[in-house]
Amino acid sequence: MLNDWLYVGLFFVVAAALPGIAIFLAGVLGPKKPNSLKNSIYECGIETVGETWVQFKAQYYIFALVFLIFDVETVFLFPWAVAFNILPLFAVLEGVLFILILLGGLIYAWRKGALEWV
Amino acid sequence: METTIWTDPIRVIADWLTQLLVGWGLPAGLVFFIINLLGVAVLATGAMLFVLFLIWYERKIVGRIQDRLGPNRIGPFGIFQSIADMLKIFTKEYITPLGADKVPYNLAPIMAVGGVLLIWAVIPFADRVYGVDLNVGVLYIIAVGAIGTLAIIMAGWSSNNKYALLGAFRSVALLISYEVPMVMALLVPVILSGSLGMNDIVRSQAIWYLFVAPIPALIFFLTSMAEVGRSPFDLIEAESEIVSGFNIEYSGLKFGMFYVAEFLHAFTISLLFATLFMGGWRGPGAEQFPLLGLIYFVIKTFFVYFVVILFRGSLPRFRTDQMMDLNWKILTPLALVSIMVIAVVEKALAGSSLVVRSASLLLANLVVALVALQFLRSSGKSQRELAESAGAQVVDTVSTREHTSI
Amino acid sequence: MTPVQLIFILAAAVVLGAAVMVVSSEKMLHSAFWLIVSLFGVAVLFVLLQAGFFAVIQVVVYIGAIAILVIFAVMLTRRVMDESGPQLTRWWWLGALAALGVYGILVVVLRSWAGFTTPIAEIPAGGQDIVRLLGIALISPNGYVLPFEVASILLLAALVGSIFIAWEKR
């Protein structure tokens, strides 16, 4: 099994090297004429107004949180799904109970209005 | 079944190369390493060169949908257009914005392309032709999707541009939201085949999972189109809106890499859909001759890719709040409910034959779809009544004001 | 030195080096990025222990969800763009001494452990897939079914609690 992962590791290296080499090649081939106007930050063709950082809504954080909870839920569900064929009906109902509890959580978040994009 | 180059091409080529290299005197471990490296390099380079063909294919079809010809100047039918574009973009200047964070700025396009290329390692192109048959193939695909998401954050933040940052955060919020129903829809082929390995899932599709579980297939199709950022979900890089989003400060081949990553990702999700839900390389005679399996696979994938391009060419763009509503309030509960229904039905009929099980699963899916449509229709009706009563109040005030002004 | 040992040393160096960079980076977002590198090294270590399932779960949950959550949280603070300056305090040599002392104690205690010379054994799977065995263990009544269900209630509590704390009603 480690041989499989060796292939994956090599693929990581090659998949990073291929675009890297292409970008480096294009950097060598292209012109290099920086001037301060070209390098300035783009803001619809005018000078930048205010500092670069803006206040973000807390809504983004709540989406990331709900996503995290459901991600961990699917982590629990994957072994259950793999062993599905040899489990009795009782075990399947346990998994269904798991999903129902989290469906309840989703409905709570929905009713609270936490899933609105304001 | 004897092992010729027609029945087991990768094993035959690998054995021949091993003999050659060991004959030159290299140690066996190094030879193994070199053969793996060669396989990886062939697959990765092939995937990247294939993108040139994909870009031409898409431009032609989108052109035809829009009642025009598409590229037709360079080469017969404009085939060499992509090569001309590639040569042009190779010679453009890299304009790095002032104050950009150098390392994440340069790493982001590489990670974006790398994250898509890595998926090609586990896809079974034919029965004995694949990169590696990981026993956790499905989860591996989700894992490398996370790398693409990180690339967008890095691109947006390191550009030192508030529009890039806003665009990047909106796209990442969309991408992670759409990952939830996608992962749940991926649970269904795993349940039905009992394994996380991609080749096992293909092998156990005597009847295509598209016909056995159409709702999870539809959910996977829609959510992976949203993950790629394709129309109608392409607010991520809407040129007319958030000033082109996170890749605004990129020029030259770095921008080209984001472009390549998007096209390759769109083709890769067609590959995944064909593998997981349409039986992959299965077809008459495919177990014996991998070449036939490859042909079936390519036909199925191009069919799905054609549907993806059709979606892009015909539908207008969604708003962000519409997309989030679609994801959290429709797709996620639908995915959860369909998993439960499929699990219970599949287990309740565990002893019956394949046809009985498949037919009842299909029936259960149709029932869930009808119930969901009923919910949507009633909620749409109540929303319309709400809007109409609010609109009627506005009309009343306007008409009274008209009377008094006269 | 076998290739496995070499990869282990590289991965361990990456994990430790990135962890040091997390606490000593001057920009907050750089700390988040170094955290991602460190978690990736841990995933490689999982692969070396032949726990491929946990390696991908590490990437999916830790890098794909928790690291993104951390980055969002960092962006919500006000001073993310500022340089915090060098992160060393005046008594840093005392901290380094304490760390070296702990390392010395660990080396002395573990020197007689027999596990260092036994090779990594194959997990006794009896020919079955490891993930399938994990699934059976999670569900069977003499297995871990009660923690499995309690985990779902824990996730529900986390969801409800975090929405209650973070969401401000308009």
Side-chain angles (χ1 to χ4, degrees):
Chain A
M1 188 180 60
L2 275 183
N3 296 335
D4 291 346
W5 288 100
L6 175 69
Y7 188 93
V8 171
L10 282 175
F11 214 105
F12 263 90
V13 170
V14 172
L18 226 52
I21 293 178
I23 290 182
F24 177 70
L25 222 65
V28 162
L29 286 173
K32 269 176 266 306
K33 303 194 180 71
N35 68 34
S36 71
L37 215 55
K38 264 203 287 190
N39 287 354
S40 57
I41 312 294
Y42 181 74
E43 189 161 325
C44 303
I46 57 178
E47 298 289 318
T48 53
V49 174
E51 44 175 76
T52 311
W53 174 85
V54 291
Q55 172 69 49
F56 282 92
K57 314 188 288 233
Q59 189 58 36
Y60 290 120
Y61 188 76
I62 296 189
F63 278 127
L65 239 129
V66 180
F67 161 65
L68 174 65
I69 302 279
F70 279 94
D71 219 20
V72 177
E73 171 195 351
T74 48
V75 164
F76 274 102
L77 282 177
F78 266 102
W80 170 77
V82 172
F84 190 83
N85 285 342
I86 46 187
L87 290 175
L89 184 64
F90 163 67
V92 170
L93 289 177
E94 285 169 9
V96 167
L97 179 65
F98 188 91
I99 299 178
L100 273 175
I101 294 180
L102 279 148
L103 195 60
L106 179 69
I107 296 180
Y108 170 81
W110 184 342
R111 297 299 288 250
K112 269 286 175 187
L115 300 174
E116 303 291 328
W117 178 278
V118 195
Chain B
M1 180 170 53
E2 77 293 6
T3 337
T4 65
I5 194 155
W6 291 118
T7 54
D8 206 347
I10 297 208
R11 171 115 333 260
V12 166
I13 297 178
D15 284 343
W16 174 77
L17 269 174
T18 319
Q19 281 182 342
L20 186 68
L21 289 173
V22 168
W24 285 353
L26 297 171
L30 189 61
V31 167
F32 181 69
F33 186 78
I34 291 179
I35 291 187
N36 271 340
L37 191 61
L38 216 61
V40 168
V42 164
L43 190 56
T45 318
M48 287 209 64
L49 290 178
F50 196 57
V51 178
L52 296 175
F53 173 72
L54 287 176
I55 296 181
W56 169 81
Y57 183 75
E58 162 138 5
R59 285 173 73 170
K60 270 303 214 193
I61 294 190
V62 169
R64 285 289 175 175
I65 292 177
Q66 295 170 350
D67 205 15
R68 56 182 171 89
L69 285 174
N72 63 347
R73 291 281 168 198
I74 307 186
F77 295 108
I79 291 186
F80 300 130
Q81 177 74 41
S82 307
I83 300 184
D85 282 337
M86 184 182 83
L87 286 173
K88 173 200 80 168
I89 217 168
F90 255 82
T91 54
K92 293 271 183 185
E93 179 183 352
Y94 287 147
I95 303 179
T96 309
L98 212 60
D101 214 354
K102 287 285 177 0
V103 173
Y105 182 79
N106 288 316
L107 213 52
I110 300 179
M111 274 171 65
V113 176
V116 180
L117 270 182
L118 281 169
I119 301 183
W120 284 63
V122 284
I123 297 183
F125 292 102
D127 195 4
R128 284 168 288 278
V129 175
Y130 43 74
V132 54
D133 191 16
L134 280 183
N135 64 335
V136 287
V138 170
L139 280 175
Y140 170 82
I141 290 177
I142 304 171
V144 299
I147 297 183
T149 315
L150 277 174
I152 295 183
I153 295 186
M154 283 170 61
W157 186 78
S158 59
S159 302
N160 201 19
N161 182 342
K162 57 162 105 57
Y163 290 108
L165 199 53
L166 273 176
F169 273 81
R170 278 168 60 149
S171 350
V172 167
L174 269 170
L175 289 179
I176 61 176
S177 302
Y178 271 91
E179 210 169 305
V180 175
M182 186 172 92
V183 176
M184 290 184 190
L186 278 175
L187 265 177
V188 173
V190 175
I191 289 181
L192 291 175
S193 65
S195 161
L196 283 171
M198 302 282 278
N199 215 8
D200 290 338
I201 294 182
V202 172
R203 279 211 192 99
S204 50
Q205 286 191 45
I207 302 183
W208 291 0
Y209 288 156
L210 178 62
F211 300 129
V212 173
I215 295 187
L218 183 67
I219 294 177
F220 180 72
F221 187 65
L222 289 176
T223 51
S224 42
M225 277 213 303
E227 288 279 320
V228 176
R230 273 261 142 161
S231 240
F233 301 102
D234 70 345
L235 203 67
I236 295 182
E237 17 130 85
E239 288 92 25
S240 51
E241 317 221 358
I242 191 101
V243 208
S244 189
F246 62 89
N247 51 17
I248 183 179
E249 294 284 0
Y250 283 90
S251 52
L253 193 60
K254 292 180 193 163
F255 173 77
M257 279 299 162
F258 280 116
Y259 199 66
V260 160
E262 182 195 331
F263 273 94
L264 195 58
H265 202 177
F267 188 70
T268 310
I269 61 168
S270 317
L271 279 176
L272 282 175
F273 189 82
T275 310
L276 293 167
F277 290 101
M278 284 173 73
W281 46 258
R282 282 185 77 105
E287 281 95 9
Q288 274 242 322
F289 297 109
L291 197 60
L292 271 181
L294 183 65
I295 295 178
Y296 296 139
F297 192 43
V298 166
I299 294 177
K300 291 176 194 170
T301 307
F302 267 96
F303 177 70
V304 179
Y305 191 50
F306 183 72
V307 173
V308 170
I309 297 180
L310 263 181
F311 265 69
R312 176 216 168 132
S314 352
L315 293 176
R317 194 176 283 149
F318 280 132
R319 278 195 331 255
T320 320
D321 60 320
Q322 286 174 331
M323 282 200 257
M324 290 305 225
D325 271 356
L326 176 69
N327 177 58
W328 289 112
K329 301 186 182 170
I330 302 179
L331 289 180
T332 313
L334 195 60
L336 286 169
V337 165
S338 59
I339 293 178
M340 287 195 284
V341 164
I342 288 177
V344 170
V345 169
E346 169 85 3
K347 194 45 92 170
L349 300 170
S352 356
S353 74
L354 184 63
V355 179
V356 169
R357 261 186 293 146
S358 312
S360 33
L361 276 172
L362 186 61
L363 209 63
N365 268 297
L366 287 173
V367 164
V368 169
L370 283 172
V371 169
L373 278 174
Q374 212 42 40
F375 260 116
L376 283 174
R377 197 180 299 168
S378 62
S379 90
K381 198 189 306 189
S382 59
Q383 273 183 358
R384 215 176 324 146
E385 281 166 8
L386 209 65
E388 269 169 17
S389 62
Q393 287 175 352
V394 171
V395 166
D396 280 342
T397 53
V398 166
S399 55
T400 51
R401 230 182 299 138
E402 292 255 69
H403 280 292
T404 53
S405 70
I406 295 177
Chain C
M1 162 134 25
T2 68
V4 173
Q5 283 180 334
L6 187 64
I7 297 181
F8 170 74
I9 291 182
L10 275 174
V14 162
V15 170
L16 293 173
V20 167
M21 290 305 294
V22 166
V23 294
S24 58
S25 271
E26 292 166 10
K27 287 200 188 157
M28 260 200 274
L29 213 62
H30 283 180
S31 300
F33 290 150
W34 281 115
L35 181 67
I36 293 176
V37 173
S38 181
L39 293 170
F40 210 78
V42 176
V44 173
L45 288 177
F46 272 128
V47 167
L48 288 176
L49 288 172
Q50 303 192 354
F53 179 71
F54 288 102
V56 276
I57 292 292
Q58 171 88 0
V59 178
V60 168
V61 173
Y62 252 117
I63 298 183
I66 295 185
I68 292 187
L69 193 70
V70 164
I71 290 180
F72 275 17
V74 162
M75 290 309 297
L76 280 176
T77 65
R78 278 206 152 263
R79 302 182 40 154
V80 61
M81 290 297 201
D82 299 351
E83 306 254 332
S84 314
Q87 300 286 318
L88 295 176
T89 63
R90 264 188 64 199
W91 305 97
W92 65 271
W93 50 270
L94 204 59
L97 214 62
L100 272 172
V102 170
Y103 180 66
I105 295 177
L106 279 174
V107 164
V108 163
V109 166
L110 288 176
R111 198 191 306 187
S112 52
W113 185 49
F116 279 130
T117 45
T118 45
I120 298 179
E122 288 282 330
I123 300 175
Q128 276 203 341
D129 188 28
I130 294 179
V131 185
R132 178 168 289 202
L133 283 179
L134 178 64
I136 300 178
L138 272 180
I139 296 286
S140 62
N142 359 323
Y144 296 95
V145 65
L146 194 58
F148 182 68
E149 299 296 338
V150 170
S152 84
I153 300 188
L154 181 66
L155 287 172
L156 178 69
L159 184 62
V160 168
S162 56
I163 289 181
F164 185 72
I165 293 179
W167 180 241
E168 296 166 11
K169 211 141 186 34
R170 280 155 213 275

